[in-house]
Amino acid sequence: MQCKLISVCMLLAVMMVFSGCESKKTSQGDNEKMITKEAYGQVGGKAVDLYTLTNKNNLEMKVTNYGCTVTSLRVPDKEGNLGDVVLGFTTVDQYVKESPYFGCAVGRYGNRIALGKFSIDGTEYTLATNNDANHLHGGIKGFDKVIWDAEPKETDDGPAIVFTHVSKDMDEGYPGTLNATITYTLTNANAFKIEYSATTDKATHCNLTQHTYFNLAGDGSGDVLGHELTLLADHYTPVDAGLIPTGELKAVVGTPFDFTSPHAIGERIGVLKEGVKNGGYDHNFCLNNKAGSMALAVKVYEPKTGRVMEVSTTEPGVQFYSGNFLDGTLVGKTGNKYQTHAGFCLETQHFPDTPNQPTFPTTLLKPGETYRHTTQYKFSVKK
Ligand code: BGC
């Protein structure tokens, strides 16, 4: 008896040592599903964590609280095999040193603000500039480069992490203390759902988004030019040589920007001329849904694996970026070098440079108001 007790204690001790990670278990029907947390190194002397979320269909997402960065997302193909469909690195050091915004949250402002300047009520603000003369993705230390507080949460919808961050008044030049919350849920309906909210104590501009690079054929499997894209947008915002919108909303009809019916990403990429830097799509599309409520915006189909991703959002725009600046120098988690077009991003947001474009839907956030945005990337297969 005593011997049995000792063996059980020893087994428990061994399990504790080897598990090395804290886990929060929850019951979902008969299956036990988990959110687990493990150490993911340090950034600036502070520990960061990596969470693994598993939904009831065994889809799995890994995310770190450094920049709310999704490092892997495993979803089934038409044979039912799980594969990782997002680009990323193995270690947090690589994210710190060389990430082209892989997998992260972006704030306070997704995309560019011309010359890093805007005025509110006659006061001009100067932001950090980090993209030639312009401000890009929140500046030098945007929301992708901060360590967020993270709270795992089991919901009826699926496992979730609630990330919070307080951005101080004049952070990267923006007025107002911004309290931001971003909730990632891996839903039991097989979607990566993101809910954003923010409040401020001074009038400011806020435009949060998510910058995951997808490759539905699998991370490291080559380029995404064969993916078929449908984008429910009759207009896009043409840009100048610095990728700043000219202010015009231009009809897509008869141009390589017309994805209102499905087209392979690569089909017309070679004939793209207008406002193109490094060849490829890097443009904001004005979504047809103007209601501010959740609606389907984009559908992507990958013929080899049968994977389908549907993007729904409450936002008026989506930046479709075809990984034009990847140039084969970055080595991803599969050991592959990321070549041009190895992934694509669909960044749902308000239009770039809105603070300087009076005709675009506003991004101004005032005290007493709450910024809200919901987007989901839902996965399925077509056989
Ligand atoms: C921008 C690109 C930029 C990229 C950075 C995209 O959202 O539109 O111009 O190079 O982010 O990875």
Side-chain angles (χ1 to χ4, degrees), residues 7 41-42 134 136 145 154 168 189 196 263 310 319 332 343-344 356 367 373 376:
S7 316
Q42 293 201 337
N134 301 318
L136 174 68
K145 295 181 186 66
E154 291 291 346
K168 295 209 175 89
Y196 307 81
H263 286 276
E310 287 169 303
Q319 181 81 13
F344 64 91
N356 298 306
H373 161 187
Q376 71 167 26

Side-chain angles (χ1 to χ4, degrees), residues 289-300:
N289 171 41
K290 302 219 168 27
S293 52
M294 244 349 218
L296 183 67
V298 194
K299 191 168 174 175
V300 192

Side-chain angles (χ1 to χ4, degrees), residues 35-238:
I35 299 175
T36 61
K37 173 179 155 185
E38 60 195 291
Y40 194 49
Q42 293 201 337
V43 177
K46 276 189 153 180
V48 293
D49 299 310
L50 187 69
Y51 294 87
T52 303
L53 283 64
T54 310
N55 80 356
K56 72 170 189 203
N57 306 315
N58 285 322
L59 272 71
E60 183 205 84
M61 180 165 86
K62 288 186 187 285
V63 54
T64 167
N65 60 329
Y66 175 67
C68 307
T69 303
V70 175
T71 64
S72 99
L73 178 55
R74 289 162 55 75
V75 307
D77 64 9
K78 62 182 174 196
E79 316 295 343
N81 300 317
L82 291 178
D84 186 0
V85 294
V86 304
L87 275 53
F89 297 121
T90 310
T91 68
V92 75
D93 292 347
Q94 286 171 286
Y95 283 100
V96 173
K97 282 188 204 128
E98 55 187 4
S99 182
Y101 299 91
F102 279 161
C104 59
V106 173
R108 294 188 188 191
Y109 199 97
N111 215 277
R112 291 171 180 79
I113 296 179
L115 304 175
K117 285 191 192 300
F118 59 71
S119 295
I120 300 176
D121 296 333
T123 306
E124 185 176 82
Y125 295 95
T126 301
L127 309 174
T129 49
N130 57 334
N131 189 249
D132 300 327
N134 301 318
H135 175 89
L136 174 68
H137 294 335
I140 296 162
K141 190 173 180 187
F143 286 4
D144 58 298
K145 295 181 186 66
V146 302
I147 302 174
W148 292 65
D149 288 329
E151 194 58 51
K153 197 171 145 193
E154 291 291 346
T155 73
D156 290 343
D157 214 10
I161 309 280
V162 182
F163 295 105
T164 49
H165 173 61
V166 181
S167 165
K168 295 209 175 89
D169 186 25
M170 299 315 286
D171 183 13
E172 298 294 305
Y174 288 93
T177 307
L178 192 83
N179 276 280
T181 301
I182 303 181
T183 303
Y184 286 177
T185 307
L186 185 61
T187 78
N188 291 325
N190 295 352
F192 166 32
K193 184 169 85 176
I194 308 153
E195 292 160 292
Y196 307 81
S197 66
T199 56
T200 183
D201 58 3
K202 274 188 204 155
T204 191
H205 284 282
C206 178
N207 186 31
L208 308 180
T209 190
Q210 222 285 340
H211 209 291
T212 290
Y213 289 64
F214 294 96
N215 184 329
L216 298 184
D219 177 30
S221 69
D223 69 50
V224 293
L225 299 179
H227 287 51
E228 289 171 18
L229 186 75
T230 310
L231 230 160
L232 302 179
D234 291 341
H235 295 86
Y236 74 104
T237 50

